[in-house]
């Protein structure tokens, strides 16, 4: 019995040390401005023009993190300040609203948001497609969503559209501090330094530790 208690104690110390084995300015840094109402969350900020974002998308990184840490809320925000980022965010907000109504999480590959991101990632990186105007850019997404520009505008002017689209504003402060995409924030307080993350397991351990701080 004593040996069992000792083993349990040592195991708990090991697990605690593993969770604590991350360092400020190595795996993470503090966000300059904490995000409101983002406790127990993991936010990924992405751009359809970012190859590293595309790699995370194909790996479905957050879905794999969610499998290991299911008690957190996972969100993904498109960045708006890059080329055609605003137009993409408008389309993404519409897709998110549809997913919310169907109660499909964006980490699900069957979600409309995931498919919309795939559409533009593929167009940009696989077909080397580029767009000259806003209407030209929107045409691809509107066709995929099976709506016209008026329907999209009406949605964006609705209370639901404004709620979803305005939530992407948080992406700007995260990207501004990180300097690019993809960017990952935990609990609205901590910014993961992805350049120092060596593997998916390292990312999971880092998120797990930060979510407990």
């Amino acid at each position: 019995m004593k040996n069992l208690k000792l083993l349990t104690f040592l195991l708990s110390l090991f697990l605690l040390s593993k969770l604590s084995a991350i360092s400020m300015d190595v795996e993470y840094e503090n966000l300059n401005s904490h995000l409101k109402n983002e406790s127990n969350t993991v936010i990924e900020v992405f751009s359809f023009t970012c190859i590293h974002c595309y790699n995370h998308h194909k790996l479905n990184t957050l879905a794999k993190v969610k499998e290991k840490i299911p008690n957190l809320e996972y969100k993904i925000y498109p960045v708006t300040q890059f080329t055609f980022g605003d137009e993409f965010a408008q389309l993404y907000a519409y897709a998110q609203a549809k997913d919310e109504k169907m109660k499909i999480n964006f980490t699900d590959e069957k979600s409309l948001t995931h498919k919309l991101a795939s559409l533009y990632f593929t167009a940009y990186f696989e077909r080397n497609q580029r767009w000259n105007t806003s209407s030209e850019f929107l045409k691809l997404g509107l066709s995929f969503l099976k709506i016209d520009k008026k329907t999209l505008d009406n949605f964006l002017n609705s209370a639901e559209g404004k709620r979803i689209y305005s939530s992407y504003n948080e992406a700007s402060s995260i990207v501004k501090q990180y300097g690019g995409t993809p960017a990952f924030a935990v609990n609205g307080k901590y910014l993961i330094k992805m350049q120092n993350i060596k593997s998916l397991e390292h990312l999971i351990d880092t998120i797990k530790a930060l979510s407990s701080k």
Side-chain angles (χ1 to χ4, degrees), residues 3-210:
N3 289 337
L4 180 59
K5 288 183 178 180
L6 177 60
L7 180 61
T8 302
F9 176 71
L10 292 175
L11 180 60
S12 65
L13 287 180
F14 170 76
L15 292 174
L16 182 62
S17 65
K18 187 175 182 181
L19 287 177
S20 303
I22 63 170
S23 303
M24 169 83 86
D25 295 326
V26 178
E27 281 88 0
Y28 76 99
E29 60 184 292
N30 292 323
L31 276 170
N32 292 333
S33 299
H34 290 181
L35 307 178
K36 296 180 180 179
N37 305 316
E38 293 294 355
S39 59
N40 299 314
T41 64
V42 178
I43 297 172
E44 177 187 355
V45 180
F46 82 104
S47 166
F48 69 90
T49 63
C50 163
I51 187 61
H52 299 298
C53 298
Y54 187 25
N55 290 334
H56 279 292
H57 178 79
K58 288 186 289 186
L59 181 62
N60 208 352
T61 297
L62 283 194
K64 291 179 169 56
V65 175
K66 185 180 178 183
E67 289 177 5
K68 299 296 183 181
I69 319 174
N71 59 307
L72 300 177
E73 182 179 0
Y74 294 86
K75 302 178 180 181
I76 186 165
Y77 294 150
V79 65
T80 59
Q81 62 261 51
F82 296 170
T83 304
F84 294 121
D86 184 56
E87 287 85 349
F88 179 79
Q90 293 172 17
L91 296 166
Y92 196 87
Y94 183 90
Q96 181 178 327
K98 293 297 183 181
D99 285 339
E100 287 182 0
K101 287 179 181 178
M102 296 298 293
K103 297 183 179 180
I104 300 176
N105 189 269
F106 76 89
T107 59
D108 190 327
E109 293 183 350
K110 296 179 181 178
S111 67
L112 202 58
T113 46
H114 189 94
K115 291 179 179 179
L116 180 70
S118 293
L119 178 74
Y120 277 95
F121 275 132
T122 300
Y124 193 86
F125 289 107
E126 305 299 332
R127 299 199 303 273
N128 295 314
Q129 187 171 347
R130 298 297 183 267
W131 303 270
N132 296 314
T133 65
S134 176
S135 59
E136 186 181 332
F137 177 88
L138 287 169
K139 184 178 180 181
L140 178 65
L142 292 173
S143 176
F144 169 76
L145 295 171
K146 298 179 181 179
I147 59 172
D148 56 21
K149 183 66 165 54
K150 184 178 180 180
T151 300
L152 179 63
D153 289 340
N154 288 340
F155 164 75
L156 293 170
N157 287 322
S158 69
E160 182 182 32
K162 290 177 180 178
R163 172 184 63 81
I164 295 175
Y165 183 79
S166 64
S167 69
Y168 302 156
N169 291 336
E170 293 183 340
S172 297
S173 60
I174 295 173
V175 169
K176 184 177 180 180
Q177 181 173 334
Y178 185 67
T181 54
F184 292 81
V186 181
N187 285 358
K189 298 179 181 179
Y190 310 109
L191 180 63
I192 296 177
K193 296 175 75 69
M194 291 301 293
Q195 66 270 29
N196 297 331
I197 299 299
K198 306 304 181 184
S199 65
L200 177 61
E201 290 70 24
H202 191 188
L203 177 62
I204 291 171
D205 288 342
T206 300
I207 291 174
K208 188 177 293 185
L210 290 175

